[in-house]
Amino acid sequence: PKVVVRPEDLLEIGSQGVSLKLVDNGTKTRALGMLLETYQPGASTGEKLRHAGEETGTLLEGRIVLEVNGQQFHLTAGESYVIDTGLPHSFTNQADVPCRIVSAHTPANF
């Protein structure tokens, strides 16, 4: 497996204004997933996501509205979150500038 993953080798798994670039070196047995996320203005993950595990992330730039189990959290650059991904959750960029997040989650595949 690769030790270094170059930007052009990241796996894009997002769509519709939400870029989710998975850091993947080809190892099928990894225990942790990592994403570089970009939310364009107005973009949202849409319906509430639910998958067993946990996720933590830090906003690198911009703002995002994180909704977890019906409660909204307005985060800005420099702030972080830790969530139980078994609870329904979504991310929405209501700002007029892109939002960038780096996140890690378990399990590695969801």
Side-chain angles (χ1 to χ4, degrees), residues 71-88:
Q71 186 174 2
Q72 287 192 349
F73 302 91
H74 295 259
L75 292 95
T76 59
E79 292 185 307
S80 300
Y81 63 89
V82 179
I83 60 174
D84 172 352
T85 55
L87 299 173

Side-chain angles (χ1 to χ4, degrees), residues 43-100:
S44 176
T45 56
E47 64 184 61
K48 307 296 184 285
L49 306 171
R50 273 182 106 148
H51 47 94
E54 76 177 306
E55 179 177 329
T56 183
T58 299
L59 275 71
L60 302 175
E61 58 186 56
R63 300 186 302 269
I64 200 86
V65 177
L66 167 61
E67 186 172 326
V68 180
N69 209 26
Q71 186 174 2
Q72 287 192 349
F73 302 91
H74 295 259
L75 292 95
T76 59
E79 292 185 307
S80 300
Y81 63 89
V82 179
I83 60 174
D84 172 352
T85 55
L87 299 173
H89 59 284
S90 65
F91 295 84
T92 304
N93 183 358
Q94 297 176 344
D96 57 0
V97 296
C99 174
R100 292 183 56 236

